[in-house]
Amino acid sequence: MSKAIKEAEKILKQYYGYDHFREGQIPVIEAVLEGRDVLGIMPTGAGKSVCYQVPALMMEGITIVISPLISLMKDQVGTLNQMGVHAAFLNSSLTAGQYYKALQLAKQGRYKIIYVAPERLETESFLDFALSEQVQISFVAVDEAHCVSQWGQDFRPGYLKILDFLDRLPYRPVVGAYTATATAEVREDILDILRLQNPYVETTGFDRGNLFFAVKKPVDKYKELVSYLKEKGYDTSGDSGIIYCLTRKSVEQVSFDLRNEGFSVTRYHAGLSDEERKENQENFIYGKRQIMVATNAFGMGIDKPDVRFVIHYNMPKNMESYYQEAGRAGRDGEPSECILYYEPRDVRTNRLFIENGEENSELDEETRKIVKERDLEPYIDAVTTSCDVNKGKPEPDVYLKTAEKLQVKPEHCLVFEDIPMGILAGKRAGMQVCAIEDDYSIHLTAEKKALADYYITDFRQVLDHTYEDLRK
C-alpha cells in the first residue's frame, strides 16, 4: 500500500468513520493523487463521492464539483459540513447576497470543496472567482458525468460547457468523471467531450447482490401494488420505497389512491411547484412519509440508504434509466426489491414521449435524428411483436368495437390487435377505414388493401396522429 493511500485511509476514518475503502475506490483515488485524469463507472451505493472528496481533502487548493441537481449539492454539502469539512454550493437556490458572499469566502480560501451547477461556469461572477490569481483550482470532479452525453438518459446541454471552462483556466487541473451507468456510447462521449488525458478508467461492475429483480404482468396493476405493499407490511413497518410512474397523471392517481388506503405517501413530478417538490422530497428523505410516488424527475443524487423497494408502475424508457432508478434501492447493503409491472400500452406511451418530447436545442439536426431513432428502436420491435400475435386476424369483438367507434359496418374495418390507435389516426385523417403496413407490421394482401380508404405506409404516422388526439 502506497504512502498516499495510507494517508487517504486516515482521512476516511477521521471524516467518514470507515476503516477500509470499498471495491474500486483505491485505484481511482490513487490515480487522482498522482495527477492523472479518471473515469469512474460505479453502481449506486459504491461510494463515488468518496472517490473525489477524499483526494480533495488531500490536495492543495480548491476542488470544484460540477453537479446537476440542487438537491444533490445541498445534501452532500450538508453532510460534509457536519463532518467538519468546509464546503459550499453555488446555485440558483441562493439569494444574490448569499451567492456573492459565498464567492467572497471562496476567494479567501475558506472552502476546500465547492459544488456548482454546470450553467454557473459561464457566469461572469464565477469566472471572476475562478480566474483570480489568489485561487488555485487543483481538481475538477464531474458528478453524474453521463449528463455530458446526448446518448445518456439525463443529457444536460450545460455539461457541454465544462470543456470551455477548463480551457479558460490558466492551467489545467486534474479532471475526474463519475457516473453509475454508462453504455459504450456514453463512455466514449465522456472521454471525448471532457478530453480526459491518459485517464485511468475504473468499472466496478453493476451486480448488486442485495437487490432482487422481478418483472410482473398483473391483470390489475393497482390491486397488485396494494397487495404487495400489504403483504410486505409496508403499511405498518415504516420502511421506505419508491414507486415510479410514467406520467404526472399516474403519479397523482396512484398517490391519491394509496393515501386513501391508509399508506404514508407523498408525490413528486415536474408539474408541482418548487416549494412542494422540496417539501415532499424532504418528507421522504427524513422519514416523515414512507412511500414516494414519482416520475423520473425524482431520484438522481438522492442519498437515502434505507429504500427497501423500487416499483416501476410503468416501463421506463430504456435499460439505463431502469438501472439508474432501480439502483436507488438498498444503498445500505440490506436486501431490497426492484419490481417492474409490464403492460403493452407502456410501449406506446414511451414511443409517443420520444417522438414528441422536447429536443435538446444544442444538438445538430443529424445528431437529433440519430438520438431519436436510437430511442425509438426498442419500441418498434416491441410493437411488432404485439402486432404479430394474431397475424392480422383479430377476434370478432375487435372488429365490432372498432366499427362502433367509427360508426361504420364491421366488414369495412381492418385493425390489428393492440393497435386500435391506428383507427384513431385514420379517423383524424378523415378516413373511415384504416390499414397499416410497413416493415414493422404485417404485409397486406391486395384484397385487404382494397378494403382500406386510408392506407398508412409508415407505422410512425399512426402514433404521430394519435399523439395529437391524446393531447386534446
Side-chain angles (χ1 to χ4, degrees), residues 399-418:
Y399 284 112
L400 293 173
K401 289 177 182 177
T402 304
E404 183 179 6
K405 193 179 188 77
L406 298 181
Q407 297 180 343
V408 296
K409 294 179 181 180
E411 58 267 28
H412 291 164
C413 289
L414 181 61
V415 60
F416 297 115
E417 184 187 32
D418 209 26

Side-chain angles (χ1 to χ4, degrees), residues 246-247 344-354:
L246 201 53
T247 65
R345 78 172 65 178
D346 292 340
V347 175
R348 297 195 294 268
T349 304
N350 267 312
R351 193 180 191 283
L352 293 173
F353 284 166
I354 293 168

